[in-house]
Amino acid sequence: MRAVSFSSQLTVLSMGVAAVLCSQVASAASNEDMPSTTLQTVTVTANSAVRDRVQEGSVYIEDYTPAQQAGHLSDFLNVVPGVTIGGTSAVNQRIRVRGLDDTNLKVTIDGARQEGALFYHMGDVTIDPDLLKQAEVSVGNNSVTLGNDALGGAVAFETVDAADLLKSGQKIGAKLHAGYASNNEELLTSATVYGAPTDNIDLLAYYGKRDAKAGEDGKGRDIQTKDSEGENILLKAGAYIADDHHVGASFSRTENKGKYPLRPDFPASPGPDSWNPIIPQQVKRDTYALDYTYNPVNRLIDVDTNVYQSKTQILRDSDYIKNPGFEFDAEVKTTGAKVQNTSLIDSSVFAGVPGTHKLIAGVEHYKKESDYNSVQRGTTIPVSGTDEATNTSVYLEDQWQMGKFTLTPGVRYDRYESPEYVSAGKTYDNVVGALAASYEIAPRTQLFASYTQLFNGPDLSQAIFNSDGVDTYVNNDLKAEEGDNAEVGIATTLRGLTMADDSLKLSAKYFETNIENYIEFVRAGGSRTGMNCTTGQLGTSAAPEACQGVINNDEDFKIKGVELSADYRADNFNMGLSYARARSKGEDTGYNISSVSGSGSESGDKYMVNLGYAPTNTTELGWRSTYVADVTPNTAGDDNEKPGYDVHDIFMTYTPTQIEGLKATLGVYNIFDETYASHASRNSIDDAYTDFEMGRNIKTSLTYQF
């Protein structure tokens, strides 16, 4: 590595070990009755419906040791089978679930939808892991309560609350955190102050700063960025009114600014006049949220309401850019509200039919708006454009439990008004249904199956293509994406295999997702410069009315795959194994689903091993290995192979008994300095077009809570 020699790494390592000798380890929380997908990483949401228990995974950040040093979503979300994270910089993170990227996922932060696209994948998911308490992943859409715009599932990020940090009887407290990573010389410092001035009020304020230089891949080449800095703010307040009402308010901001490549998912090319120069850029997300819950001593009423506004923005500074047209201001804003009530009903009281019902009824409305301001490339002529889309949903789901058998039907209605620049503001009315079932065939062993219909109206175009309708072909006949997701599986927990208190949790799933009228954005360029803005047809020479892109319905696709996991725990040892694969295929051509992130949507077969051992009450050691097989995408005009890779991480934590609340973590990530690119990132046969991951990275962190 260029920036840090191996001897320097040893110095950092020894310093980290010294810090570890005065720090703490967090014990992993687990639900002993339900399957857990991997070692101390994915606990499964405890809920009366089997669908919730075995088809959703929750990564609790404090319970996952490597995630305590996470600087990127891949540092912890990759542990979920079926999930792969791409993009190597903070401004270019993207999530893939079963091969479908975040444009086909419902992503929320504290309940606020993160909608729209700005510039390719730049700014799609703007969140710093240091803000997070939990990340709940719905691998696949298995419920009408999930809502629309969720073909592949959902990821719900939740930031930390004062109640999560306050100790029993504590009125005020603080948490200080510092971390260092050797590869990109990243320094993270953060402080959280929280308190409960009265029994019914809690407050929290967080500030964090993350500074870094360019990271290096396994061959010592700079990746993605030069100097960059991130700044994070989180403010929260909550109050109980009487015993039944709770109101809360929050504001969070994640801001990243620095010198990034013009197209952050490509490596930078030298020189300010090159095709991908390094230029000053800024990505900022602000999220405001209000929530209200009403939960009286009444099984029929449990109301949960949230109102939010989330805004993501890209700014480019023209003072440092020689090529006019590179500078712009792009913004996507989502404003919405959701009201949901949960009722628990004993059906024998009303209908004489045995069993209990968990009835979930809700309504959701949101509006997403994009705004773009720039100048035409090579001129000083102003270019601007706005667009918007709105959606209203009403849904009802009944989780009916009858002894060992659970049946969950659901129905949802969506009214979606599409963007003007994409499909001329067409309105789509749609009704979808879902049905899930589970049966306990033996103690702690359940078979489950689910079927969910899918709907997704045409999304906003990338904000940079608004441009008053000049640059993108408007398709008046664009159809909404529809389809279905079906899953079947088994989950079991075995006890007493080698000792009285051990447990082995096993889970296996097979799924098929069908997508009809898949919507694809085709970018002009190269041999596609003859894209006619009137007809939407592609050609090989410049047309009089040329468009930068065309949005059309592609063919129908089918995605098939399996997800397997095993988790063994015995006293102070645990081991997790998982395997996941997903394959997409077009109905007409047989090709994979294409993707602007390069080389189709195939993420490869992923194998993961996690080992954990706590030799003492103050120390925990861990190892994580990830192997991803190579992939040759079967996509039109693309026979580029994505090479497989094998990455290993080792880590430890230590907590001193002498200083309560002190904890240190030391880890070596990509310990064998593998040169590789995630299959979810841009991948090409040419290194100049490949988004490589970091090489060996030594991280140390210290946390003190008091």
Short mmCIF file of all heavy atoms in Angstrom, two decimals, residues 109-137:
data_model
loop_
_atom_site.label_atom_id
_atom_site.label_comp_id
_atom_site.label_asym_id
_atom_site.label_seq_id
_atom_site.Cartn_x
_atom_site.Cartn_y
_atom_site.Cartn_z
N ILE A 109 -35.52 5.69 6.18
CA ILE A 109 -34.71 6.08 7.33
C ILE A 109 -35.66 6.66 8.36
O ILE A 109 -36.32 7.66 8.11
CB ILE A 109 -33.64 7.11 6.94
CG1 ILE A 109 -32.67 6.51 5.91
CG2 ILE A 109 -32.87 7.58 8.18
CD1 ILE A 109 -31.65 7.49 5.38
N ASP A 110 -35.78 5.97 9.49
CA ASP A 110 -36.74 6.34 10.53
C ASP A 110 -38.15 6.50 9.95
O ASP A 110 -38.88 7.44 10.27
CB ASP A 110 -36.30 7.62 11.24
CG ASP A 110 -35.11 7.40 12.16
OD1 ASP A 110 -34.91 6.25 12.60
OD2 ASP A 110 -34.36 8.35 12.43
N GLY A 111 -38.51 5.58 9.06
CA GLY A 111 -39.85 5.57 8.47
C GLY A 111 -40.03 6.48 7.28
O GLY A 111 -41.07 6.43 6.63
N ALA A 112 -39.04 7.31 6.95
CA ALA A 112 -39.15 8.26 5.84
C ALA A 112 -38.62 7.62 4.56
O ALA A 112 -37.46 7.19 4.51
CB ALA A 112 -38.38 9.54 6.15
N ARG A 113 -39.44 7.56 3.55
CA ARG A 113 -39.03 7.00 2.27
C ARG A 113 -37.90 7.81 1.65
O ARG A 113 -37.92 9.04 1.68
CB ARG A 113 -40.21 6.95 1.29
CG ARG A 113 -41.18 5.80 1.51
CD ARG A 113 -42.28 5.85 0.48
NE ARG A 113 -43.20 4.72 0.57
CZ ARG A 113 -43.17 3.66 -0.23
NH1 ARG A 113 -42.25 3.58 -1.18
NH2 ARG A 113 -44.05 2.68 -0.10
N GLN A 114 -36.94 7.09 1.05
CA GLN A 114 -35.85 7.71 0.30
C GLN A 114 -36.08 7.37 -1.17
O GLN A 114 -35.70 6.32 -1.65
CB GLN A 114 -34.51 7.17 0.78
CG GLN A 114 -34.32 7.23 2.28
CD GLN A 114 -34.27 8.64 2.83
OE1 GLN A 114 -33.46 9.46 2.41
NE2 GLN A 114 -35.14 8.93 3.79
N GLU A 115 -36.75 8.26 -1.88
CA GLU A 115 -37.19 7.98 -3.24
C GLU A 115 -36.34 8.73 -4.27
O GLU A 115 -35.62 9.67 -3.95
CB GLU A 115 -38.66 8.40 -3.41
CG GLU A 115 -39.64 7.58 -2.57
CD GLU A 115 -39.89 6.20 -3.12
OE1 GLU A 115 -39.66 5.99 -4.33
OE2 GLU A 115 -40.32 5.32 -2.36
N GLY A 116 -36.50 8.30 -5.52
CA GLY A 116 -35.92 9.04 -6.64
C GLY A 116 -34.45 8.78 -6.87
O GLY A 116 -33.75 8.17 -6.06
N ALA A 117 -33.97 9.25 -8.02
CA ALA A 117 -32.56 9.12 -8.41
C ALA A 117 -32.07 10.48 -8.89
O ALA A 117 -32.79 11.23 -9.53
CB ALA A 117 -32.40 8.08 -9.51
N LEU A 118 -30.82 10.78 -8.59
CA LEU A 118 -30.25 12.07 -8.94
C LEU A 118 -29.32 11.98 -10.15
O LEU A 118 -29.55 12.61 -11.17
CB LEU A 118 -29.47 12.62 -7.74
CG LEU A 118 -30.33 12.98 -6.52
CD1 LEU A 118 -29.47 13.08 -5.28
CD2 LEU A 118 -31.06 14.28 -6.75
N PHE A 119 -28.27 11.19 -10.01
CA PHE A 119 -27.26 11.08 -11.07
C PHE A 119 -26.70 9.67 -11.01
O PHE A 119 -25.84 9.36 -10.21
CB PHE A 119 -26.17 12.12 -10.85
CG PHE A 119 -25.06 12.07 -11.87
CD1 PHE A 119 -25.30 12.43 -13.19
CD2 PHE A 119 -23.78 11.68 -11.51
CE1 PHE A 119 -24.27 12.39 -14.13
CE2 PHE A 119 -22.76 11.65 -12.44
CZ PHE A 119 -23.01 12.00 -13.76
N TYR A 120 -27.24 8.80 -11.90
CA TYR A 120 -26.90 7.39 -11.84
C TYR A 120 -27.14 6.90 -10.40
O TYR A 120 -28.21 7.08 -9.85
CB TYR A 120 -25.49 7.13 -12.34
CG TYR A 120 -25.36 7.44 -13.82
CD1 TYR A 120 -24.88 8.67 -14.26
CD2 TYR A 120 -25.76 6.52 -14.77
CE1 TYR A 120 -24.78 8.96 -15.61
CE2 TYR A 120 -25.67 6.80 -16.13
CZ TYR A 120 -25.20 8.02 -16.54
OH TYR A 120 -25.11 8.30 -17.87
N HIS A 121 -26.15 6.28 -9.75
CA HIS A 121 -26.37 5.79 -8.38
C HIS A 121 -25.83 6.77 -7.34
O HIS A 121 -25.78 6.43 -6.15
CB HIS A 121 -25.71 4.43 -8.19
CG HIS A 121 -26.51 3.30 -8.76
ND1 HIS A 121 -27.63 2.81 -8.14
CD2 HIS A 121 -26.38 2.60 -9.89
CE1 HIS A 121 -28.14 1.83 -8.86
NE2 HIS A 121 -27.39 1.68 -9.93
N MET A 122 -25.45 7.94 -7.74
CA MET A 122 -24.88 8.89 -6.79
C MET A 122 -25.98 9.43 -5.87
O MET A 122 -26.98 9.97 -6.33
CB MET A 122 -24.21 10.04 -7.54
CG MET A 122 -23.40 10.96 -6.64
SD MET A 122 -22.51 12.18 -7.62
CE MET A 122 -21.59 13.02 -6.35
N GLY A 123 -25.78 9.30 -4.56
CA GLY A 123 -26.72 9.83 -3.59
C GLY A 123 -27.97 9.01 -3.39
O GLY A 123 -28.90 9.46 -2.72
N ASP A 124 -28.03 7.79 -3.93
CA ASP A 124 -29.24 6.98 -3.78
C ASP A 124 -29.52 6.65 -2.31
O ASP A 124 -30.64 6.77 -1.84
CB ASP A 124 -29.10 5.66 -4.57
CG ASP A 124 -29.34 5.87 -6.05
OD1 ASP A 124 -29.49 7.04 -6.47
OD2 ASP A 124 -29.38 4.88 -6.79
N VAL A 125 -28.49 6.18 -1.61
CA VAL A 125 -28.64 5.82 -0.19
C VAL A 125 -27.60 6.61 0.59
O VAL A 125 -26.42 6.24 0.62
CB VAL A 125 -28.45 4.31 0.03
CG1 VAL A 125 -28.70 3.96 1.50
CG2 VAL A 125 -29.38 3.51 -0.87
N THR A 126 -28.02 7.69 1.18
CA THR A 126 -27.10 8.58 1.89
C THR A 126 -27.32 8.44 3.39
O THR A 126 -28.23 9.03 3.96
CB THR A 126 -27.32 10.04 1.45
OG1 THR A 126 -27.20 10.13 0.02
CG2 THR A 126 -26.31 10.97 2.09
N ILE A 127 -26.50 7.61 4.02
CA ILE A 127 -26.61 7.37 5.46
C ILE A 127 -25.24 6.91 5.96
O ILE A 127 -24.54 6.16 5.28
CB ILE A 127 -27.70 6.32 5.79
CG1 ILE A 127 -27.89 6.15 7.30
CG2 ILE A 127 -27.37 4.99 5.13
CD1 ILE A 127 -28.58 7.30 7.97
N ASP A 128 -24.83 7.38 7.11
CA ASP A 128 -23.59 6.95 7.73
C ASP A 128 -23.91 5.89 8.78
O ASP A 128 -24.79 6.09 9.62
CB ASP A 128 -22.88 8.13 8.39
CG ASP A 128 -21.46 7.79 8.80
OD1 ASP A 128 -21.30 6.93 9.69
OD2 ASP A 128 -20.51 8.38 8.25
N PRO A 129 -23.23 4.74 8.76
CA PRO A 129 -23.54 3.68 9.72
C PRO A 129 -23.42 4.10 11.17
O PRO A 129 -24.05 3.48 12.04
CB PRO A 129 -22.50 2.59 9.37
CG PRO A 129 -22.17 2.82 7.95
CD PRO A 129 -22.22 4.31 7.77
N ASP A 130 -22.63 5.12 11.46
CA ASP A 130 -22.45 5.54 12.85
C ASP A 130 -23.73 6.09 13.46
O ASP A 130 -23.86 6.19 14.69
CB ASP A 130 -21.33 6.58 12.94
CG ASP A 130 -20.76 6.70 14.34
OD1 ASP A 130 -20.49 5.65 14.95
OD2 ASP A 130 -20.59 7.83 14.82
N LEU A 131 -24.71 6.46 12.61
CA LEU A 131 -25.99 6.97 13.10
C LEU A 131 -26.95 5.86 13.50
O LEU A 131 -27.94 6.11 14.17
CB LEU A 131 -26.67 7.81 12.02
CG LEU A 131 -26.10 9.18 11.68
CD1 LEU A 131 -26.75 9.70 10.41
CD2 LEU A 131 -26.32 10.15 12.82
N LEU A 132 -26.66 4.63 13.08
CA LEU A 132 -27.69 3.60 13.07
C LEU A 132 -27.73 2.76 14.34
O LEU A 132 -26.70 2.49 14.97
CB LEU A 132 -27.50 2.68 11.87
CG LEU A 132 -27.60 3.34 10.50
CD1 LEU A 132 -27.29 2.33 9.42
CD2 LEU A 132 -28.99 3.93 10.30
N LYS A 133 -28.92 2.31 14.67
CA LYS A 133 -29.15 1.30 15.70
C LYS A 133 -29.46 -0.04 15.05
O LYS A 133 -29.01 -1.09 15.53
CB LYS A 133 -30.31 1.72 16.60
CG LYS A 133 -30.78 0.64 17.56
CD LYS A 133 -31.93 1.10 18.42
CE LYS A 133 -33.19 1.36 17.62
NZ LYS A 133 -34.33 1.73 18.47
N GLN A 134 -30.22 -0.02 13.98
CA GLN A 134 -30.74 -1.25 13.41
C GLN A 134 -31.00 -1.05 11.93
O GLN A 134 -31.33 0.05 11.47
CB GLN A 134 -32.04 -1.63 14.12
CG GLN A 134 -32.77 -2.84 13.57
CD GLN A 134 -34.08 -3.10 14.29
OE1 GLN A 134 -34.33 -2.53 15.35
NE2 GLN A 134 -34.91 -3.93 13.72
N ALA A 135 -30.84 -2.12 11.16
CA ALA A 135 -31.22 -2.13 9.75
C ALA A 135 -32.05 -3.38 9.51
O ALA A 135 -31.54 -4.49 9.61
CB ALA A 135 -29.99 -2.12 8.86
N GLU A 136 -33.32 -3.20 9.24
CA GLU A 136 -34.23 -4.32 9.03
C GLU A 136 -34.40 -4.55 7.54
O GLU A 136 -34.77 -3.64 6.81
CB GLU A 136 -35.57 -4.04 9.70
CG GLU A 136 -36.53 -5.22 9.62
CD GLU A 136 -37.79 -4.97 10.45
OE1 GLU A 136 -37.68 -4.97 11.69
OE2 GLU A 136 -38.84 -4.76 9.85
N VAL A 137 -34.13 -5.77 7.10
CA VAL A 137 -34.15 -6.10 5.69
C VAL A 137 -35.28 -7.06 5.39
O VAL A 137 -35.39 -8.12 6.02
CB VAL A 137 -32.81 -6.74 5.25
CG1 VAL A 137 -32.81 -6.99 3.75
CG2 VAL A 137 -31.64 -5.84 5.64
#
